[in-house]
Amino acid sequence: MTPLDLAGIGIGPFNLSLAALAHPVTGLRAAFFDRRPEFRWHPGLLLPGTTLQVPFLADLVSLADPTNPLSFLNYLREHRRLFPFYFAERFHIPRAEYDHYARWASERLPACEFGAEVRSVGWSGDAFELRFADRDPVLARSVVLGVGTVPHLPEPLRELASGRDAPVVHSAGYLGARARLLASRRVLVVGSGQSGAEVFLDQLQHRSTVDGLGWLARTRAFAPMEYSKLGLEQFTPDYTTYFHGLGQRTRERLLPAQWQLYKGVDAETLSRIHGALYERGIGGTWPKVTLMPGVEVFSARRTADGVELGVRHVQQGTETVLEADAVVAATGYRDTPLDELLAPLGVDFTVPLEVDRGYRLRLPEKIPGTVYVQNAERHTHGVGTPDLGLGAWRAASIVNAVTGRTVYPLPDRTAFTTFGLPLEEQ
């Protein structure tokens, strides 16, 4: 069996970007596998009126190769939507359209194989061996992990999230539970980020009454996302290089302090929430809605009527109990565990994964092959790791490394800001 040059595990936006940039490269044998039957991007949160938080140029290919036929603009051309898009003057496209665009791209890439679940990755002596649930193994000289993230629930809420009519729903499954939630008398949304804001706004706009609706967050305020032009330069390759060069302890301290770069709320969404609250108060009656930042959930129990949440105010140190028929936990995502997948390689998971500047995972010395990671390196590469705007750059970097040549020329400088002091030449 001749090994592939590159095998991708998982087909989310980042490995799909890599597949799109690898496709036209002559002589590069690549294949990508995903256990799902088709590409879907956050299907539970494709609410009407929601948009990407990045410009449309953060598609699969444009920031590395704008001439690629799988660009978003070419997608519009093929769907005869260029002129409507032109007159719409949209820089941030609907989420549902991004989902459809990426699915369109995946259907045009023969290297993408859905319904193929990779169970483990081992080393056969001169290549990696990908073992599947129900097919023969595949050999590859290099592997790229793009298995994405999984919804995260805080410990107090986990036991209440199982079952068909569970009183706790993660925001990732919001659309499937939306009708039931709109019919519930008391709904609490937990989580201060964009997803929590969008769920709360949807409930606020579409409920017959907002009595009993609430939004809770640990952050000290419902704060806007950092969106200044120079602030956004922390999502450039220049900043990624700077961040990677910092010491581990410095990186660990820095990431939580940057929460408004990736955990804040789009200012327009906050404005729409305020507008909806204002309209609900026409006539001088304050809407019976609870907006409570600065609180954390420390306990939860199921009751005959729904849920009781024990909450603590972070600054005051006070506690109380809040009652609800249902809770939407917009509590984010965590990296998909890799220990079972990579167990045959002997990777040490008792310490944070070591990922070099070129996105290569440190492997035991006995394994000379290369495993790349996509969106599992925030602790080493910074806040830009999950950002779609850096996806094509990272994918192009991997293509260049795998082929050993500059297939995609990448600029030497990407920010006006100078991050850190220039290093003195020795």
Side-chain angles (χ1 to χ4, degrees):
M1 181 190 306
T2 303
L4 297 166
D5 298 307
L6 181 66
I9 303 175
I11 308 177
F14 298 128
N15 263 359
L16 187 58
S17 172
L18 180 56
L21 291 173
H23 178 67
V25 181
T26 303
L28 178 60
R29 298 179 65 248
F32 298 81
F33 307 98
D34 195 291
R35 65 182 179 181
R36 299 172 300 173
E38 64 177 356
F39 181 93
R40 295 305 304 271
W41 185 73
H42 296 301
L45 280 170
L46 298 182
L47 296 169
T50 58
T51 63
L52 290 186
Q53 262 55 65
V54 292
F56 72 90
L57 286 173
D59 63 13
L60 300 173
V61 295
S62 289
L63 290 176
D65 178 18
T67 66
N68 191 293
L70 294 180
S71 70
F72 179 72
L73 287 178
N74 195 47
Y75 157 83
L76 290 175
R77 184 184 68 84
E78 288 210 3
H79 287 82
R80 301 177 183 178
R81 283 172 58 81
L82 269 176
F83 271 92
F85 180 74
Y86 168 66
F87 289 117
E89 296 184 349
R90 284 176 177 252
F91 207 45
H92 296 83
I93 63 175
R95 284 189 185 174
E97 187 166 34
Y98 178 82
D99 174 67
H100 189 264
Y101 153 69
R103 192 158 57 254
W104 166 83
S106 72
E107 293 166 355
R108 281 151 183 77
L109 290 168
C112 290
E113 184 174 341
F114 292 90
E117 181 182 0
V118 179
R119 289 284 181 84
S120 65
V121 180
W123 181 253
S124 68
D126 56 1
F128 294 102
E129 184 179 33
L130 281 63
R131 304 183 185 100
F132 294 79
D134 53 5
R135 57 171 288 174
D136 293 336
V138 168
L139 297 179
R141 296 187 179 90
S142 295
V143 172
V144 58
L145 303 176
V147 294
T149 56
V150 291
H152 170 73
L153 285 168
E155 191 277 330
L157 300 177
R158 288 174 194 167
E159 292 186 4
L160 303 183
S162 59
R164 182 178 178 183
D165 294 321
V168 173
V169 178
H170 192 276
S171 57
Y174 174 69
L175 275 181
R178 181 173 180 265
R180 172 167 64 90
L181 291 165
L182 285 173
S184 298
R185 185 170 61 90
R186 301 167 302 174
V187 173
L188 290 176
V189 180
V190 178
S192 63
Q194 185 69 23
S195 296
E198 289 173 353
V199 168
F200 178 72
L201 177 61
D202 185 64
Q203 290 282 315
L204 185 61
Q205 290 177 323
H206 296 100
R207 295 175 68 84
S208 58
T209 175
V210 295
D211 292 3
L213 179 63
W215 185 19
L216 316 177
R218 283 190 304 174
T219 53
R220 62 183 181 273
F222 297 110
M225 189 178 298
E226 167 62 66
Y227 209 71
S228 65
K229 302 305 180 186
L230 291 179
L232 289 177
E233 290 196 337
Q234 291 172 87
F235 293 95
T236 60
D238 284 8
Y239 184 79
T240 300
T241 298
Y242 161 75
F243 186 90
H244 190 272
L246 298 174
Q248 179 181 337
R249 290 186 179 180
T250 301
R251 295 197 301 254
E252 290 174 352
R253 291 194 301 267
L254 185 55
L255 273 176
Q258 296 176 314
W259 65 273
Q260 274 188 256
L261 286 170
Y262 61 100
K263 289 186 178 181
V265 182
D266 170 65
E268 176 60 26
T269 305
L270 290 175
S271 177
R272 292 173 64 192
I273 288 173
H274 189 275
L277 289 168
Y278 182 82
E279 289 188 9
R280 290 281 187 171
I282 290 175
T285 301
W286 283 87
K288 295 180 180 179
V289 177
T290 300
L291 279 81
M292 193 179 297
V295 299
E296 59 183 2
V297 177
F298 66 85
S299 69
R301 75 178 188 91
R302 193 162 191 166
T303 65
D305 298 324
V307 182
E308 282 186 355
L309 297 184
V311 300
R312 178 185 301 111
H313 197 280
V314 177
Q315 295 174 341
Q316 288 181 326
T318 52
E319 297 180 359
T320 191
V321 173
L322 300 177
E323 297 180 350
D325 298 321
V327 174
V328 181
T331 47
Y333 299 79
R334 295 292 185 272
D335 292 339
T336 300
L338 298 172
D339 47 351
E340 184 176 344
L341 180 67
L342 301 183
L345 297 179
V347 177
D348 183 4
F349 287 96
T350 63
V351 296
L353 295 177
E354 292 188 49
V355 184
D356 73 11
R357 178 61 186 89
Y359 308 102
R360 292 178 288 260
L361 179 65
R362 182 176 180 179
L363 300 173
E365 292 183 4
K366 63 181 180 180
I367 300 175
T370 302
V371 172
Y372 298 92
V373 297
Q374 299 216 71
N375 196 16
E377 71 280 7
R378 182 182 293 170
H379 62 295
T380 57
H381 286 66
V383 294
T385 293
D387 191 83
L388 293 176
L390 281 175
W393 170 284
R394 180 170 50 200
S397 299
I398 293 173
V399 170
N400 290 346
V402 169
T403 59
R405 55 192 176 90
T406 306
V407 177
Y408 295 105
L410 298 173
D412 295 328
R413 184 172 180 178
T414 55
F416 291 113
T417 306
T418 299
F419 298 105
L421 297 177
L423 297 177
E424 293 183 5
E425 295 184 6
Q426 301 296 321

